[in-house]
Amino acid sequence: MTSKISLNYIALLFIIPFSGFYITKLSLSPVYVFTLFGIFLSIIQIFKSCKIRLSKVTFLAFVLLIYFSLFQQFFSTPNISAYINFNFSIVVFIFSYLVLNQNHTNKIIKVSEKLIFFSLPLLIFEAYYRLSNPVFLVDFAEKGREDLFFYYFKINSIMYQDSNFVGLFILSLFFFLLYIKQFTFKKYYLSFAMLTILLLTTISRASILTLFLFVILYFNRKIIYKYRIFIFIFLIILAFTLFPILLEYRTIDDSFSTKFGIFDKTIEYISNASVINLLFGVGFGNAVEVLNVGAHNFFVTYIVESGFIGLVLIVILWTYILLKTKFKAGIVMLPFLFNGMSLASGAIPYLYAIFAVILILEKRRNEMIVKMARKLVL
C-alpha cells in the first residue's frame, strides 16, 4: 500500500509542478521531459493495480482528445507543434486527474504549492533575460510611434513566443494560488507579491488589466452578488456607451485594432468557408493562413482551427468542470477566458493541471461535508 502511494506521489511531483516549464530556447522543453516521465510512472501504477476508473470529466476529456488527435489528421493538415501542444494539454489533464485521485489531500496541496514555488525562479530568470536583452526589430521612432517602444522588451522570452504568453501563465498561477489560499487559509503574501511584480514585467496589457479587474471583483464578490441585477443593467448601459469610444480607439492603437480586425475576418471566414472547415476546422496553427493574422482570441482559435465541433466539445468540458466544482474553478477559468479574448494558446497543460487539482479538492471538500452531516444526524 505504501509503495502504491509513493509511486503515485512521485508521478504527481513530475506532472503538476513542471506543467508550465516551457523553455523554447532549448531544443526539448522540460515540460515534456518531466510531465511525460510522470505520466509514464502513472501508467506503470495503473498496470500494477489493474484499476482505472474513468469519471465523467475524464470521459469528456478523452472524447475531446480523440477528436483533436484523429479528426485533425483526417480533415486538415495541422501545424505539428500546435497539434502536439493542444493534445498534450488534454493528456496532462486526464493523467493529472487520475493520479491526483489516488493521493491524500495534504499531498495534493503540497504539489500545488510546488507548482507556484518551482515556477517562480524560472519566471524571475525569464524576466531578467527578456528585459536585459531587448530585440529591436522595428524602429518605432522612425514611424513616429515612440509610444510602442515597450514592444522591444516583450519579444525575447525564453519560455514562449513572447511575454504575453508568460503573462497568461503568471495570471493562472496567481488565481490558482488565491484558490489554494481559500482552501488552506495560508497567507502566501510573498508569493502573491512576486507573481504581481513578475506579471508587470511582462508588459502584457491584457494580463495586467485582467489581474487588477478580477482581484477587485474577487474582493467585492459579496457586494456584486447582492446587487447583481443593478450591476448587470449598469454593465449593459456601459457597454453601449463605451462601444463608440472603443471603435475610435482602434484607429489609434495597432494592437487593439488587430483584435477588432480578427472578429471582422472571422465573420468573413465563416461566411465563405466550406462545411467541412466549419465543422472540423482548418487545423491547429493554421488560422493565420485563412485570416491572414493570428487568431489570438480563444474562441476564434477553436472555431477556426478545430471547427464548431471542437468549440462545442471544449465548451462542454469547461462548463462541466465549472459546474462540478460549483463554480470554484471559475476563480482561474474566468480570468483566463477574459484574457483569452485578447490572447489564446494551446500550450496550457498547467491550466488543465490546475483544473484537475480544483476538481479533486472540491470533490474531497464535498465528501467531508457529507461525512460531517451524517455524523450530526447520527
Side-chain angles (χ1 to χ4, degrees):
M1 184 67 182
T2 305
S3 60
K4 185 188 294 185
I5 296 174
S6 177
L7 188 58
N8 270 320
Y9 186 57
I10 292 170
L12 203 59
L13 284 172
F14 280 97
I15 297 174
I16 305 295
F18 297 101
S19 58
F21 265 59
Y22 278 96
I23 303 180
T24 56
K25 294 291 184 182
L26 300 177
S27 56
L28 181 61
S29 194
V31 65
Y32 302 113
V33 178
F34 288 110
T35 52
L36 287 175
F37 182 69
I39 289 170
F40 172 71
L41 292 179
S42 66
I43 292 172
I44 292 176
Q45 179 58 47
I46 289 170
F47 278 111
K48 283 180 64 178
S49 63
C50 296
K51 290 181 181 179
I52 180 169
R53 295 179 181 177
L54 280 180
S55 63
K56 288 181 181 179
V57 72
T58 49
F59 173 76
L60 289 173
F62 191 67
V63 170
L64 185 64
L65 179 63
I66 291 174
Y67 175 77
F68 280 172
S69 58
L70 296 182
F71 283 78
Q72 284 275 307
Q73 295 291 343
F74 289 154
F75 295 101
S76 62
T77 306
N79 173 277
I80 188 62
S81 178
Y83 175 80
I84 289 172
N85 280 319
F86 273 88
N87 286 291
F88 178 66
S89 297
I90 305 299
V91 169
V92 168
F93 173 72
I94 293 171
F95 280 94
S96 293
Y97 187 89
L98 292 174
V99 177
L100 284 161
N101 209 24
Q102 301 300 317
N103 278 275
H104 192 273
T105 302
N106 290 337
K107 290 184 177 179
I108 295 174
I109 295 296
K110 287 180 180 178
V111 294
S112 299
E113 291 173 334
K114 284 179 172 59
L115 171 58
I116 310 295
F117 301 153
F118 285 13
S119 298
L120 282 172
L122 175 61
L123 290 167
I124 291 169
F125 181 76
E126 188 279 336
Y128 168 77
Y129 181 87
R130 175 171 40 81
L131 295 176
S132 59
N133 294 277
V135 176
F136 303 96
L137 294 178
V138 180
D139 193 341
F140 292 113
E142 287 184 2
K143 296 185 176 183
R145 298 303 307 273
E146 294 88 346
D147 57 312
L148 299 179
F149 80 95
F150 62 87
Y151 278 103
Y152 299 146
F153 301 93
K154 292 172 62 70
I155 300 171
N156 201 15
S157 173
I158 65 166
M159 292 184 66
Y160 298 97
Q161 182 180 347
D162 59 50
S163 65
N164 289 329
F165 295 95
V166 181
L168 199 60
F169 177 44
I170 298 172
L171 189 75
S172 301
L173 293 181
F174 183 95
F175 285 102
F176 179 49
L177 187 60
L178 199 57
Y179 170 81
I180 296 298
K181 175 181 178 292
Q182 284 183 338
F183 198 92
T184 62
F185 300 102
K186 295 181 183 179
K187 300 303 181 183
Y188 302 113
Y189 288 135
L190 181 60
S191 296
F192 278 121
M194 292 178 69
L195 287 170
T196 303
I197 294 169
L198 287 167
L199 184 63
L200 293 174
T201 66
T202 65
I203 326 174
S204 173
R205 291 173 292 178
S207 295
I208 293 169
L209 171 64
T210 303
L211 175 69
F212 288 105
L213 175 62
F214 276 87
V215 165
I216 292 170
L217 292 175
Y218 173 79
F219 285 106
N220 293 279
R221 61 192 184 279
K222 292 182 179 179
I223 297 174
I224 292 170
Y225 182 78
K226 183 178 180 181
Y227 299 103
R228 58 192 180 279
I229 296 175
F230 299 103
I231 292 173
F232 180 72
I233 295 171
F234 170 75
L235 289 175
I236 292 175
I237 297 171
L238 184 66
F240 279 105
T241 305
L242 290 179
F243 190 71
I245 300 173
L246 294 176
L247 288 176
E248 180 66 25
Y249 185 64
R250 68 182 288 190
T251 63
I252 301 172
D253 187 280
D254 294 337
S255 177
F256 201 70
S257 176
T258 300
K259 304 301 186 298
F260 265 92
I262 289 169
F263 285 107
D264 296 336
K265 290 177 183 291
T266 302
I267 293 171
E268 183 181 350
Y269 161 77
I270 292 172
S271 302
N272 299 300
S274 66
V275 174
I276 294 295
N277 283 344
L278 284 176
L279 289 176
F280 303 105
V282 298
F284 289 128
N286 293 335
V288 66
E289 296 182 10
V290 296
L291 301 179
N292 295 317
V293 65
H296 292 282
N297 184 282
F298 180 86
F299 296 100
V300 170
T301 297
Y302 280 97
I303 290 172
V304 176
E305 297 187 352
S306 69
F308 279 97
I309 294 177
L311 177 64
V312 169
L313 290 175
I314 199 75
V315 168
I316 290 172
L317 175 62
W318 284 39
T319 302
Y320 184 84
I321 292 170
L322 203 58
L323 295 175
K324 190 67 177 176
T325 60
K326 296 182 178 178
F327 294 91
K328 293 294 176 63
I331 196 171
V332 179
M333 187 184 293
L334 296 181
F336 181 90
L337 288 175
F338 185 82
N339 198 158
M341 298 299 289
S342 174
L343 176 72
S345 174
I348 50 174
Y350 60 85
L351 184 68
Y352 280 104
I354 288 170
F355 286 163
V357 169
I358 297 176
L359 276 163
I360 296 297
L361 289 181
E362 288 306 308
K363 177 185 174 184
R364 301 278 172 84
R365 193 204 302 263
N366 293 333
E367 288 173 352
M368 287 173 60
I369 292 171
V370 170
K371 286 181 181 178
M372 291 175 64
R374 284 176 179 173
K375 286 181 179 180
L376 289 172
V377 170
L378 295 173

